[in-house]
Amino acid sequence: MKKISMKGATWDSVFLSVVKFITTFTAILQTKILSVGLSLTDYGTYSQANIIVSICVSVLLLGLGDAINYFFNDSSGKYSKEKRIQIVNTVYAIEMIAGIVLVCVVFWGRGLIARYFSNVGLKLVVVIISIKPMLDNIIYFYQVLFVSIGKAKVIAIRNLIVSILKVVSVFIAVHLFKSVIAIYVALIFLDVLQLAFFAFLFSKKEFVVSPFQCDFGLVKEIMKYGFPMGIFALTNTLTRDIDKLIIGNMADTETIAIYSNCSKVLPFDMIVLSFATVLIPYIMKYISQKQHINSITLFKNYLKIGYYTVWTFGCAVLIVAKQAICFLYSQEYLAGETIFIIYVIDSMMKFASMHLILTASGNAKLLTKYSAFSLIANLVFNIIFFNIWGNIGPAIATLIVTTGYTIAILRRSAEILNAKWMDIIDLKDILSFVLGLAFVATVFYFINGKLIFNKLNQYIAMIFAMGGFSGTILLVFRKRISYILKSLNSLKL
């Protein structure tokens, strides 16, 4: 009997996807615990704090993660191993200094932040969470380093363990202390434990990361590469969160609670992101060596994996939107059903705006321009549409901007590969798949309604409809999916 190989891009991606699925499930469970255990006001405060953390993480990131990835993995011979280690130490030092500055700025500006959100309860919370962005980024740097030395599975297993610990911590904080502050104290404590674990393990496998052994003479070179990507990350985050910032200022705390949950990005792309993680080294090699045919084939198959998975999961949720909101959050959040639907469609668009080709070809500045334009457009549309349609206006604005941004990214990616649209997008395949999705979705939409009409528990009906829909799609298109996976697994570095 032929031995089954468990190696290759597909197998690595499947492993990461399985772990991602489990960690995603625990994240959903964590949100459920918070939604049920906290009042709308407390959850609104928690959501506002999360917005602040998200923005501050991007402000502090400064493109330093990309800088570590670039310099530490340099194979041109330009940098010796000692020099690359020194660059890593310097990156950590920059992050720590920036993090300390941020803590001071947040402390001094806590009153302004509370007034912006019209929430006095934020004043103490923001002081406590001000250290979290720095911790999150330093942990992320270690993740980049572990992936760089071929230990991506270590990160995956870590994510699994940490996600379970977060659920336990949040459950205790919500049900024992019933406090937003207690939740963040628990999460920060977990961050510190992770950091200690990563530092110890990496020192055993490679070297001790020591910010005190930095060389500030390298700062200019590091920031020259990293800063454009840092601006891109910041504008991208602001583009993603600008709707919540507008809602947070123009509506009450309870409304931001509903909007935050219903606009939460659901993990439809967990499979395609796992493939992207594994495929980065391949695309970097093909682009640098100008192997355009291989690059086109890889990117085309990546897009296919994207829409076969993301669109299937997205449609499955759209079939049972009301039940999904009650299952994920609680009935209190049904007021945001339209927002929920718009963001599901938005998530179904976003996978195609991945920057595999642009980042591999060194187009960081172009990404920054695209992202900055998206931010400005989103801000303008958010305000205009909020005044026209109320709370759903910012969601519509986000969907419009996402669509334009995705088209721009795909167009530029095709130009870099010297390819036409039809070379990277199999239009015939997409149309037949969309028709199949629409037909099967319609069938299971009516089946779901019939089951509920006959008094079947709404969640059992939901599981049956989603599972039946997804299983049918997988069965109908199994040969196409199998061919794509085999093609990706045959890639060689």
Side-chain angles (χ1 to χ4, degrees):
M1 183 180 290
K2 187 177 178 180
K3 186 177 179 181
I4 298 175
S5 173
M6 300 293 285
K7 297 180 179 180
T10 295
W11 280 112
D12 286 346
S13 301
V14 168
F15 173 79
L16 293 178
S17 296
V18 170
V19 175
K20 179 70 174 176
F21 175 80
I22 298 172
T23 56
T24 297
F25 175 77
T26 59
I28 291 171
L29 182 58
Q30 179 180 319
T31 301
K32 179 72 173 180
I33 292 169
L34 290 166
S35 301
V36 174
L38 296 177
S39 66
L40 279 177
T41 300
D42 283 342
Y43 194 86
T45 300
Y46 174 80
S47 300
Q48 290 163 346
N50 268 349
I51 294 169
I52 295 165
V53 170
S54 174
I55 293 171
C56 289
V57 163
S58 295
V59 169
L60 282 190
L61 198 55
L62 300 170
L64 294 176
D66 296 283
I68 286 182
N69 203 19
Y70 176 77
F71 290 107
F72 185 70
N73 292 307
D74 177 74
S75 58
S76 66
K78 181 180 178 181
Y79 303 98
S80 65
K81 183 177 181 179
E82 292 74 18
K83 191 76 169 179
R84 286 185 284 130
I85 291 174
Q86 198 170 40
I87 289 173
V88 171
N89 288 334
T90 305
V91 167
Y92 274 73
I94 296 169
E95 182 64 28
M96 288 180 66
I97 293 169
I100 293 169
V101 171
L102 178 70
V103 170
C104 295
V105 170
V106 170
F107 179 79
W108 289 327
R110 65 192 185 282
L112 291 174
I113 295 171
R115 280 198 294 274
Y116 178 85
F117 287 100
S118 302
N119 185 356
V120 178
L122 267 181
K123 286 186 74 171
L124 180 57
V125 175
V126 294
V127 173
I128 293 170
I129 66 172
S130 61
I131 194 174
K132 192 167 180 18
M134 178 177 66
L135 294 176
D136 286 350
N137 284 344
I138 292 176
I139 290 170
Y140 168 65
F141 295 163
Y142 270 115
Q143 291 180 8
V144 171
L145 290 173
F146 273 105
V147 171
S148 297
I149 62 173
K151 300 294 181 182
K153 290 181 181 179
V154 170
I155 300 303
I157 294 170
R158 164 263 175 197
N159 290 343
L160 177 60
I161 295 171
V162 169
S163 61
I164 294 171
L165 290 175
K166 280 185 177 180
V167 169
V168 174
S169 301
V170 167
F171 182 85
I172 293 171
V174 169
H175 291 279
L176 191 60
F177 298 101
K178 295 187 180 296
S179 165
V180 173
I181 291 175
I183 294 169
Y184 275 109
V185 168
L187 294 177
I188 290 170
F189 179 69
L190 279 178
D191 286 344
V192 172
L193 289 181
Q194 290 179 71
L195 196 52
F197 170 75
F198 275 150
F200 172 78
L201 188 61
F202 194 76
S203 68
K204 293 294 183 183
K205 294 185 177 295
E206 288 291 319
F207 61 88
V208 176
V209 176
S210 175
F212 300 103
Q213 295 180 7
C214 64
D215 179 0
F216 287 113
L218 297 169
V219 171
K220 183 178 179 181
E221 186 174 6
I222 292 170
M223 296 311 299
K224 182 179 179 181
Y225 178 84
F227 191 69
M229 287 305 295
I231 296 297
F232 162 70
L234 176 59
T235 54
N236 205 32
T237 298
L238 287 172
T239 301
R240 186 181 67 235
D241 290 337
I242 195 69
D243 52 351
K244 301 180 191 70
L245 283 171
I246 296 297
I247 293 289
N249 180 253
M250 303 180 82
D252 56 29
T253 304
E254 290 75 13
T255 300
I256 191 64
I258 293 171
Y259 193 96
S260 292
N261 267 357
C262 290
S263 66
K264 197 176 288 292
V265 178
L266 296 176
F268 303 135
D269 59 355
M270 60 184 174
I271 292 177
V272 73
L273 283 180
S274 296
F275 273 88
T277 300
V278 174
L279 294 176
I280 285 173
Y282 296 89
I283 200 67
M284 291 287 283
K285 175 189 174 183
Y286 295 155
I287 292 292
S288 63
Q289 296 181 358
K290 299 189 183 302
Q291 297 182 29
H292 291 313
I293 294 177
N294 285 336
S295 298
I296 292 169
T297 301
L298 185 152
F299 191 55
K300 185 175 184 177
N301 284 326
Y302 162 79
L303 289 176
K304 285 186 177 183
I305 287 293
Y307 60 73
Y308 273 113
T309 56
V310 174
W311 293 357
T312 299
F313 295 150
C315 285
V317 171
L318 288 175
I319 291 170
V320 294
K322 280 188 173 66
Q323 294 136 281
I325 292 172
C326 294
F327 177 77
L328 293 170
Y329 315 121
S330 73
Q331 285 191 336
E332 288 182 295
Y333 294 86
L334 280 174
E337 182 187 359
T338 304
I339 297 169
F340 180 81
I341 291 171
I342 292 171
Y343 269 92
V344 169
I345 298 171
D346 180 73
S347 296
M348 291 168 68
M349 289 288 300
K350 270 182 177 165
F351 84 91
S353 63
M354 288 294 291
H355 314 111
L356 279 175
I357 305 299
L358 271 70
T359 52
S361 59
N363 277 268
K365 290 183 178 179
L366 182 63
L367 280 176
T368 303
K369 291 178 181 178
Y370 283 171
S371 191
F373 181 79
S374 297
L375 173 60
I376 295 169
N378 214 346
L379 175 61
V380 173
F381 289 155
N382 263 272
I383 296 171
I384 294 173
F385 291 175
F386 180 87
N387 288 312
I388 297 174
W389 293 300
N391 294 338
I392 68 169
I396 296 171
T398 298
L399 177 59
I400 291 172
V401 172
T402 294
T403 303
Y405 182 78
T406 300
I407 292 171
I409 292 294
L410 287 176
R411 180 181 178 184
R412 183 55 185 154
S413 296
E415 290 175 355
I416 291 170
L417 296 175
N418 293 325
K420 298 177 182 178
W421 275 91
M422 294 301 101
D423 293 330
I424 62 172
I425 297 176
D426 190 336
L427 191 58
K428 182 180 177 181
D429 185 74
I430 290 176
L431 290 175
S432 62
F433 182 61
V434 168
L435 288 173
L437 282 177
F439 176 76
V440 178
T442 302
V443 170
F444 278 94
Y445 175 81
F446 284 108
I447 290 175
N448 176 61
K450 193 71 174 176
L451 292 174
I452 293 176
F453 179 78
N454 289 320
K455 308 300 182 184
L456 185 67
N457 178 276
Q458 65 168 337
Y459 298 134
I460 295 176
M462 179 187 76
I463 292 170
F464 180 82
M466 292 179 69
F469 169 79
S470 301
T472 302
I473 292 297
L474 181 63
L475 185 65
V476 172
F477 295 99
R478 66 189 184 283
K479 290 185 179 180
R480 296 189 195 180
I481 297 170
S482 177
Y483 177 80
I484 296 166
L485 294 177
K486 287 178 181 177
S487 176
L488 288 174
N489 210 42
S490 65
L491 295 172
K492 303 294 182 184
L493 281 174

